[in-house]
Amino acid sequence: MTDPLLILAVGVVIVVGGIIGLKLHPFLALLLGAFVVALMTPASAIEQFAITKGTAPVAAAALAKKNIGERIATEFGVTCGKIGILIAMAAIIGKCMLESGAAERIIRSMLRITGVERAPIAFLISSFFIGIPVFFDTVIFLMMPLAKAMTLRIGKNYLLLVLCIMAGAAMANSLVPPAPGPLFLVGEMHIPIGMMMIGGTIVGLMTITSGYFFALWANKKWPTPLRDAMDARLEDIKAIAAKEDKQLPGLGVSLLPVLIPLVFICADTALTAMATPGVPFTDSPFLLKLISLIKFFGDKNIAVVSGGIAALLVLARQKKGSKEGLTPFVQAALMSGGGIILITAAGGAFGGMLQQTGISARIADMTKDYQMALIPMAFFIAAVVRTAQGSATVALITASGILSGMASNASLGFHPLYLGLAIGCGSKLVPWMNDAGFWIVCKLSNLTEQEALKTISPLLVVMGLTGLVVIMIAAQLFPLV
């Protein structure tokens, strides 16, 4: 009864069955799943998991002795600490951009350049390149208000736009440094970072092309309307869409809530990538202060708060003279964001309890002697770990740890780059209820759980498998050794 695979199966049945079968609220189903998984996990497995993560034996033993409620609350809090401020401020940015007309102004400007038919492609490519330096969830927060405004402008294709945003951001996040997962991977497998950036971009563009065709098919098969939401009522967005150009804020001002966090996060990422440990960038006091300022505002929480302040200022300027003030808009945004935070944190708690079962080590042990070709094996290991515990980053770390020795093998018939890319593509499969990113996309887009499972999950499966095929062909034709 203590096999991690059995515990995983029970957790899946409880969460998926609770949400789809019993119509439980996702927050309750995820907490119930986390409780049952934690209850079934023996103390020895928890202690071993902590030790493999680098925890001191005394601290690992203390973790194993903690009661179930405390362990669940800890993982809940860790997830909340990672995404709480981001989601709250992103909800404010989205609400302010919609209410002020900033999102409408950006959409009108984009349509003048791309035209209506090519707008989804613009969303796809934009989210991919924004997703290279910026965290996946931040891309979703910044672009979802634009998808809602665009849908009202063109009157169709809401699901297509949502899937395009998801496709671009997800693939960049696991394939192209300086995203955190690929950065760890290149260090572990000794792949030159420049080579990974070029290879990841090429494979990423091919995978999002297949994702785009899947999104077109899904949009036709399951056309999904833009629904009313607490922070984005359709009648309000329609009223803004009917305004004349002169009633909307200028394009430069409208872009500030998005550009401020984007520019600071990108600048901080670039500085981190160029830094040499223990060696200062410059001797100039002025430049050192400037770098410190960029590093301060480049923190993702501070960057998004800065974007939120800019969004509030744009809204205040547009509502000048209005008696209602900004409080109703902020309150509506926070009520919506609060629900997303709770569900996402509960998903993090469920995923955390699954990790403590030792599921990653169990999968590693099952595959260590698997005599399959290395590239598909790398893909397979990452995919199974991702599906089992919900984190693409954990899948990257686990798979690269298993295969790092093979990557440095002199008799390898192709460059280790291909193993790294295969791991990145495999880490996309399969997102479901134990994945915090799944809930962020699901709730920000107002898709139901069933809609998300039949569109978002297969979208990433299609792109991941496309990447595997492309990588295997490239390794055969261009081994780079």
Side-chain angles (χ1 to χ4, degrees), residues 448-469:
T448 65
E449 289 79 22
Q450 292 93 327
E451 287 170 344
L453 283 172
K454 68 184 181 183
T455 56
I456 292 172
S457 299
L459 168 72
L460 292 189
V461 172
V462 167
M463 292 194 297
L465 291 172
T466 300
L468 175 62
V469 172

Side-chain angles (χ1 to χ4, degrees), residues 42-381:
S44 58
I46 299 169
E47 187 171 352
Q48 184 59 41
F49 163 78
I51 290 172
T52 58
K53 297 289 284 185
T55 307
V58 175
L63 174 65
K65 291 177 182 177
K66 286 185 177 179
N67 63 52
I68 291 172
E70 192 175 356
R71 285 194 285 121
I72 292 174
T74 298
E75 291 298 328
F76 185 95
V78 167
T79 306
C80 202
K82 290 178 181 176
I83 52 86
I85 294 174
L86 280 176
I87 291 179
M89 293 310 302
I92 291 173
I93 290 174
K95 178 67 173 173
C96 291
M97 288 184 70
L98 288 170
E99 290 288 342
S100 67
E104 178 66 21
R105 168 63 75 186
I106 294 170
I107 293 308
R108 291 185 190 185
S109 301
M110 185 185 294
L111 285 176
R112 289 192 187 102
I113 298 171
T114 65
V116 172
E117 295 304 319
R118 290 189 294 273
I121 297 176
F123 271 73
L124 180 73
I125 295 173
S126 299
S127 64
F128 179 79
F129 284 104
I130 293 172
I132 292 172
V134 177
F135 286 99
F136 166 80
D137 45 10
T138 308
V139 180
I140 303 300
F141 298 146
L142 294 177
M143 294 196 70
M144 204 58 74
L146 302 185
K148 294 178 180 179
M150 178 66 85
T151 302
L152 273 180
R153 168 58 48 187
I154 63 180
K156 59 181 179 178
N157 293 341
Y158 178 58
L159 180 62
L160 175 59
L161 294 172
V162 170
L163 293 180
C164 283
I165 294 171
M166 175 78 183
M171 295 315 298
N173 189 250
S174 286
L175 288 175
V176 189
L183 267 184
F184 175 88
L185 193 147
V186 296
E188 186 75 8
M189 304 196 71
H190 310 291
I191 302 169
I193 188 169
M195 184 175 279
M196 187 70 184
M197 291 178 77
I198 295 170
T201 301
I202 293 170
V203 172
L205 290 175
M206 291 183 177
T207 58
I208 66 173
T209 300
S210 70
Y212 176 71
F213 286 113
F214 173 83
L216 285 173
W217 175 81
N219 188 59
K220 288 179 181 177
K221 186 171 179 63
W222 301 297
T224 305
L226 176 61
R227 301 184 178 104
D228 259 323
M230 190 180 300
D231 62 334
R233 295 191 306 163
L234 291 182
E235 60 183 79
D236 295 337
I237 305 176
K238 286 176 182 176
I240 293 166
K243 288 184 176 181
E244 298 179 10
D245 280 0
K246 63 183 180 182
Q247 295 176 291
L248 299 174
L251 179 60
V253 172
S254 299
L255 285 168
L256 283 178
V258 177
L259 285 181
I260 287 175
L262 185 61
V263 168
F264 277 118
I265 291 173
C266 287
D268 177 54
T269 302
L271 288 173
T272 302
M274 293 186 296
T276 303
V279 179
F281 268 103
T282 177
D283 295 328
S284 168
F286 171 76
L287 289 178
L288 286 174
K289 287 183 179 179
L290 180 61
I291 290 169
S292 297
L293 189 67
I294 292 172
K295 298 291 286 183
F296 175 78
F297 283 101
D299 173 84
K300 63 178 182 178
N301 289 308
I302 295 175
V304 175
V305 168
S306 302
I309 293 170
L312 286 166
L313 291 174
V314 174
L315 179 60
R317 182 182 174 188
Q318 289 300 114
K319 297 289 183 182
K320 189 166 55 180
S322 171
K323 295 181 180 179
E324 57 187 339
L326 299 181
T327 301
F329 302 110
V330 174
Q331 186 170 346
L334 291 179
M335 288 178 69
S336 172
I340 298 171
I341 291 170
L342 286 173
I343 293 170
T344 305
F350 177 56
M353 292 304 99
L354 283 175
Q355 289 183 40
Q356 290 183 10
T357 64
I359 185 71
S360 296
R362 178 79 165 87
I363 292 167
D365 185 59
M366 289 171 60
T367 56
K368 66 180 180 180
D369 297 320
Y370 198 38
Q371 296 303 309
M372 192 177 180
L374 280 182
I375 290 176
M377 185 173 79
F379 178 91
F380 174 76
I381 294 170

Side-chain angles (χ1 to χ4, degrees), residues 412-437:
L412 193 66
F414 48 82
H415 197 281
L417 167 69
Y418 294 112
L419 283 180
L421 292 173
I423 291 170
C425 288
S427 71
K428 296 293 91 181
L429 281 66
V430 177
W432 61 286
M433 277 98 164
N434 65 347
D435 177 19

